Amino acid sequence: MEHLKIASDNYVAFTFFIGTMAMMAASVFFFFELGNTSQKWRTSVLVSGLITFIAAVHYYYMRGYNLETGDSPTFFRYVDWILTVPLMCVEFYLITKKAGAKIGLLWKLIFASLVMLVTGYFGETIDRDNSVMWGIISGAAYFYIAYLVWFGEVSKLAQDAGPQVAKATRVLAWFVLVGWAIYPLGYILGTPGGLFGIQLVADPAAASHAMDIVYNIADAINKIGFGLVIYALSRNED
Ligand SMILES: *C/C=C(C)/C=C/C=C(C)/C=C/C1=C(C)CCCC1(C)C
């Protein structure tokens, strides 16, 4: 078999490679730190490690797929997200549970994240002609999540859970508002509908490459960053 090499100007393959490495390193870090994490925060830090570990396995696959075919591994990208975004919702639930978060709140967050991801998948794959419409529905679910963590139940419970949890939740809320907003940017670059009909990248191959690079950067920021906020919380609060 021919040995595949990453060309020096192949930024898509490069970011898949770096993404794999970063997710693996973060997972090792979170898992090894479990041993000196207090009982109270162990599950939260474990979930941080699960998020980056699930991503590491998907990235390993997506990296190989992209290198061999040059294509965008859209299906496994979404499989990854459908597993990891609900786990991020679990993180919000776990840290506010001490202040009385109910399981219903977790289901609300998970349901909204599934609507956000499934509609995004439709717009990217089976119904690309209506990518703007699917993007708007997905965006509405996204704003609902942002609302819950900024002003809704999550933020109220975090206030009651003490200053450290409140502070950490505020940082995570910034991740949702700014870090997660990178994804719709990738979607706008890579789908035919563009930004309400305005295409920012005309060439379809270049558009899908731009989308992959943006998604890869966003994943590294959000999955590892989110995990580190939880890790920091587990060190600050006793
Ligand atoms: C680890 C993976 C994460 C945090 C993925 C998050 C993904 C999103 C916030 C995606 C959002 C989208 C929209 C808000 C509209 C367009 C379609 C999506 C799915 C890209």
Side-chain angles (χ1 to χ4, degrees):
M1 198 192 137
E2 191 196 347
H3 180 73
L4 291 163
K5 194 173 147 198
I6 300 179
S8 60
D9 62 347
N10 188 348
Y11 301 109
V12 182
F14 179 72
T15 54
F16 272 117
F17 180 83
I18 290 290
T20 308
M21 188 69 247
M23 297 298 179
M24 285 180 176
S27 308
V28 171
F29 175 77
F30 292 130
F31 288 150
F32 274 74
E33 284 295 314
L34 279 176
N36 45 30
T37 300
S38 70
Q39 191 70 48
K40 187 177 168 194
W41 294 109
R42 210 164 285 166
T43 312
S44 299
V45 175
L46 172 64
V47 174
S48 293
L50 288 177
I51 291 169
T52 55
F53 180 72
I54 290 169
V57 175
H58 285 81
Y59 263 84
Y60 182 77
Y61 176 83
M62 294 196 289
R63 177 205 53 80
Y65 177 95
N66 173 261
L67 195 57
E68 281 171 34
T69 65
D71 293 338
S72 206
T74 308
F75 180 72
F76 279 92
R77 166 92 67 200
Y78 273 86
V79 173
D80 173 334
W81 289 354
I82 277 185
L83 297 169
T84 52
V85 177
L87 282 174
M88 294 171 135
C89 299
V90 170
E91 295 278 36
F92 279 118
Y93 171 70
L94 286 175
I95 65 173
T96 51
K97 209 172 128 194
K98 296 147 193 100
K102 302 247 161 48
I103 197 81
L105 172 62
L106 175 59
W107 287 121
K108 248 186 256 178
L109 288 165
I110 291 180
F111 179 74
S113 70
L114 291 179
V115 171
M116 176 180 87
L117 296 173
V118 170
T119 52
Y121 184 73
F122 283 174
E124 274 193 44
T125 58
I126 54 181
D127 193 21
R128 285 177 68 80
D129 288 345
N130 290 311
S131 62
V132 174
M133 179 197 78
W134 292 114
I136 291 170
I137 303 173
S138 174
Y142 161 70
F143 279 118
Y144 178 62
I145 299 173
Y147 164 79
L148 284 177
V149 298
W150 272 92
F151 312 107
E153 266 173 86
V154 175
S155 118
K156 292 197 186 94
L157 287 162
Q159 297 300 323
D160 298 341
Q164 297 294 348
V165 170
K167 213 175 94 195
T169 304
R170 189 39 62 100
V171 180
L172 293 178
W174 275 109
F175 270 94
V176 171
L177 191 66
V178 180
W180 289 22
I182 303 170
Y183 295 96
L185 178 68
Y187 182 90
I188 286 164
L189 289 170
T191 47
L195 182 64
F196 301 107
I198 304 160
Q199 275 184 338
L200 304 180
V201 184
D203 174 59
S208 101
H209 292 161
M211 180 187 226
D212 273 323
I213 293 173
V214 169
Y215 283 167
N216 291 350
I217 293 170
D219 275 349
I221 294 173
N222 288 297
K223 294 189 163 61
I224 300 170
F226 218 83
L228 286 173
V229 175
I230 299 287
Y231 175 77
L233 174 64
S234 79
R235 309 291 122 164
N236 287 339
E237 228 227 24
D238 38 32

